Amino acid sequence: MTLRGRAAAAAASLLTAAALAGCAPPLRPLGPLNQVLQQAGVNHAPALSDRWLALISGRQGREQVLLIHLQTRRPVPLPGLNRPDAQPVSVSVDGEGERLAMVRQLDGRTELAVYRRSTQSLQRLPIDPPGVPQQVALSADGKVLAVQVSRGGLWGVDLIELP
């Protein structure tokens, strides 16, 4: 194929791709659920599973972890999770909404913890070798946790098997 033929073929491919992209409908937010989120305040660090949305929400500098059941579009209670002196950094939820993993700052340190809704208990998880956790991702079955950790100025990811 000649140079002119290749250029024409490339131009045709670009035009076809542009035409196909123009056919896609615009993405729209989910109205009723977004209204619930707006009422909660400023939201960030979302984690989505099949039926659950976990996120950090706050007003006037006071942030907390919220867990919203997607079918009912309502937050569920998380007794024992949100302390007034703790600042959540990252959150993740398993597929059943039973376990929430989180990184939070408390008393000048950053810690990793797992909350179990059925027992309303929070368990701090030590990091070995020591490091500073930043972000968490919990597997759908709630048995494996991926944690972004800083050690000596270098970032890494630890996989932790949960009991």
Side-chain angles (χ1 to χ4, degrees), residues 115-147:
Y115 177 80
R116 288 180 176 79
R117 285 184 51 226
S118 60
T119 60
Q120 299 178 0
S121 63
L122 183 71
Q123 176 187 8
R124 287 195 322 229
L125 301 176
I127 297 176
D128 188 33
V132 179
Q134 178 64 30
Q135 291 186 343
V136 293
L138 191 57
S139 64
D141 65 6
K143 294 182 180 180
V144 180
L145 182 62
V147 185

Side-chain angles (χ1 to χ4, degrees), residues 2 5 9-10 51 59 68 84-85 89-90 105 123 138-139 156 160:
T2 66
R51 298 180 306 214
R59 289 198 170 120
I68 298 172
D85 59 342
V89 174
S90 175
Q105 293 177 340
Q123 176 187 8
L138 191 57
S139 64
I160 301 171

Side-chain angles (χ1 to χ4, degrees), residues 14-39:
L14 285 173
L15 288 174
T16 301
L20 290 175
C23 293
L27 300 177
R28 300 194 194 287
L30 299 172
L33 184 56
N34 281 339
Q35 291 172 355
V36 171
L37 295 174
Q38 287 176 353
Q39 291 172 354

Side-chain angles (χ1 to χ4, degrees), residues 18-154:
L20 290 175
C23 293
L27 300 177
R28 300 194 194 287
L30 299 172
L33 184 56
N34 281 339
Q35 291 172 355
V36 171
L37 295 174
Q38 287 176 353
Q39 291 172 354
V42 177
N43 302 306
H44 63 96
L48 190 62
S49 71
D50 289 339
R51 298 180 306 214
W52 302 95
L53 172 64
L55 55 96
I56 298 171
S57 180
R59 289 198 170 120
Q60 300 171 348
R62 167 77 174 103
E63 293 187 324
Q64 62 182 356
V65 172
L66 286 182
L67 181 63
I68 298 172
H69 189 264
L70 294 174
Q71 290 176 343
T72 65
R73 297 183 180 110
R74 296 183 188 267
V76 297
L78 299 171
L81 176 63
N82 291 302
R83 290 178 49 166
D85 59 342
Q87 177 72 33
V89 174
S90 175
V91 65
S92 184
V93 62
D94 71 5
E96 296 298 316
E98 166 59 18
R99 289 184 179 187
L100 285 94
M102 68 182 294
V103 173
R104 67 180 184 177
Q105 293 177 340
L106 179 66
D107 296 329
R109 69 183 186 281
T110 305
E111 63 182 21
L112 175 64
V114 172
Y115 177 80
R116 288 180 176 79
R117 285 184 51 226
S118 60
T119 60
Q120 299 178 0
S121 63
L122 183 71
Q123 176 187 8
R124 287 195 322 229
L125 301 176
I127 297 176
D128 188 33
V132 179
Q134 178 64 30
Q135 291 186 343
V136 293
L138 191 57
S139 64
D141 65 6
K143 294 182 180 180
V144 180
L145 182 62
V147 185
Q148 181 184 17
V149 181
S150 174
R151 292 184 180 96
L154 299 175

